[in-house]
Amino acid sequence: ALLSCASTKEEGKSHQVSLPPPHINCPENGDCSFEIMKNSVLQLNHSASGELYPEVVSGNKVVVKFHYEKETPKDVMDAGYSEYVYLEFDPSEKQLILKDKELQKVKMIFGRICYCKGAMGYFPIQNGNLFLFNQDGNLQLRTTFKVNKVPQIVQHIDENINY
């Protein structure tokens, strides 16, 4: 399934394209979305306590952000649960095939955000594989990965995205 949307381009500025939730490969009981951020780079920062967190800033790469948000009861406080996958690639790269520690060549990270003490945060992905094919605004993204530090729902992404 191909997803597409039109966007306007402002010269010299980073711009992002938000896409409607994919329906093919989103885990049940939740919603998924992608953001493709052109003219950006993914900075991996650390808080004062040493926790990793991502920041997307202007640059010369493309940053992909995948977001899964689990459906939660509306009347329950602190029930929110989200997972994120970030990666960046050079727009001139037509194809990437990476495995395990090579995933850090694209700064691939997994985030688990919830009210679950000691089992949340962002973590470099070092176990898995990635196939990325990028041509003329069409991105094929296939990845399977495992983060052993926290439980995870999203363990694979398989999407074609027009941006």
Side-chain angles (χ1 to χ4, degrees):
L2 294 176
L3 302 172
S4 69
C5 66
S7 65
T8 59
K9 184 173 186 178
E10 294 180 49
E11 281 304 314
K13 290 199 173 184
S14 167
H15 83 357
Q16 56 191 33
V17 178
S18 290
L19 300 170
H23 298 289
I24 298 172
N25 296 302
C26 189
E28 289 186 26
N29 302 321
D31 289 316
C32 294
S33 62
F34 279 92
E35 284 184 58
I36 308 296
M37 295 165 266
K38 296 180 184 180
N39 303 315
S40 301
V41 293
L42 180 61
Q43 287 186 347
L44 302 180
N45 301 316
H46 290 86
S47 68
S49 62
E51 301 296 320
L52 176 70
Y53 68 93
E55 183 179 7
V56 179
V57 298
S58 292
N60 61 350
K61 308 264 186 187
V62 175
V63 176
V64 177
K65 174 183 169 185
F66 171 82
H67 177 216
Y68 164 74
E69 185 171 6
K70 188 175 182 180
E71 292 175 7
T72 55
K74 304 276 186 245
D75 55 349
V76 178
M77 281 184 67
D78 300 325
Y81 182 93
S82 288
E83 292 183 358
Y84 295 88
V85 176
Y86 285 87
L87 62 90
E88 80 170 22
F89 65 93
D90 188 316
S92 67
E93 288 275 0
K94 297 297 180 207
Q95 180 173 298
L96 289 169
I97 300 173
L98 304 173
K99 184 175 171 118
D100 296 335
K101 295 189 187 317
E102 293 176 328
L103 296 171
Q104 289 311 296
K105 290 179 181 178
V106 294
K107 301 181 185 176
M108 194 166 168
I109 63 169
F110 172 81
R112 182 177 193 245
I113 307 302
C114 54
Y115 187 72
C116 33
K117 292 181 181 179
M120 65 174 269
Y122 287 91
F123 307 93
I125 298 174
Q126 298 187 355
N127 294 314
N129 59 62
L130 170 71
F131 171 80
L132 184 145
F133 182 75
N134 175 47
Q135 186 170 357
D136 301 326
N138 181 35
L139 180 65
Q140 294 178 18
L141 178 64
R142 313 262 185 279
T143 184
T144 302
F145 59 92
K146 181 76 175 135
V147 176
N148 296 320
K149 297 184 185 259
V150 293
Q152 70 187 85
I153 294 172
V154 175
Q155 295 187 20
H156 68 278
I157 300 170
D158 185 354
E159 292 296 335
N160 293 335
I161 305 159
N162 284 336
Y163 67 97

